[in-house]
Amino acid sequence: MSLNLNNEEILNVDACCSSERKSHHSDEVKANLYARLNRIEGQIRGIKGLIEKDTYCDDVITQIAATQSALTSVAKILLGGHLKTCVLERVQDGDDEVLDEVLITIQKLMRGGQTIDDAGYEVQYN
C-alpha cells in the first residue's frame, strides 16, 4: 500500500491524540472524508442493485474492486493524519508502544483477501 497523500488532505488535522483517544479532524478534512464515504455508500447501493439484477459476475467484481479502492483511499487519509499527529506526539512524549499499535493497524489495512468457504462465507481463523 502506497502512502502518497496530498498534504492538503492531512494539513488542518489537529492533534488527534488525547487521553480520551479521540480524533480531532478539521472541518475541511471531515468534509473530504464524508464526501468520499457518501460516494462509497452509493457504490455499495449500486453493487446491491447489480446483484439484484443478476448482472454478470465480472462486472459486479469490478465494482467491488473500485469500492475497495475508495475505502483504501479513506484509510490512507486517516492513517497519514494519524502518523503525522497522534503517533508523532506520542513518540515525542516517549510512548514507543504506539509504534506497535501502528504496525498492527497497517497489517490490518494490508490484509488482502479473505478465505471464502464453498457457501460463500468468510472463514475465520483464531
Side-chain angles (χ1 to χ4, degrees), residues 33-114:
L33 293 172
Y34 289 153
R36 289 171 181 267
L37 291 170
N38 285 334
R39 281 192 298 272
I40 292 166
E41 189 175 32
Q43 287 176 298
I44 296 293
R45 283 192 304 271
I47 291 167
K48 288 170 70 175
L50 293 175
I51 292 170
E52 186 177 310
K53 293 185 230 171
D54 294 323
T55 303
Y56 185 61
C57 296
D58 190 56
D59 295 337
V60 177
I61 292 167
T62 298
Q63 292 305 311
I64 290 170
T67 304
Q68 288 173 325
S69 177
L71 276 171
T72 298
S73 293
V74 170
K76 286 179 185 179
I77 292 167
L78 289 171
L79 180 61
H82 183 58
L83 290 171
K84 290 185 174 194
T85 57
C86 302
V87 174
L88 179 61
E89 180 181 304
R90 287 177 61 186
V91 167
Q92 288 174 339
D93 289 344
D95 181 3
D96 291 339
E97 289 180 17
V98 70
L99 299 176
D100 291 330
E101 177 185 293
V102 169
L103 289 173
I104 290 168
T105 299
I106 291 171
Q107 287 174 352
K108 289 176 187 176
L109 287 173
M110 293 180 73
R111 268 189 219 140
Q114 294 82 19

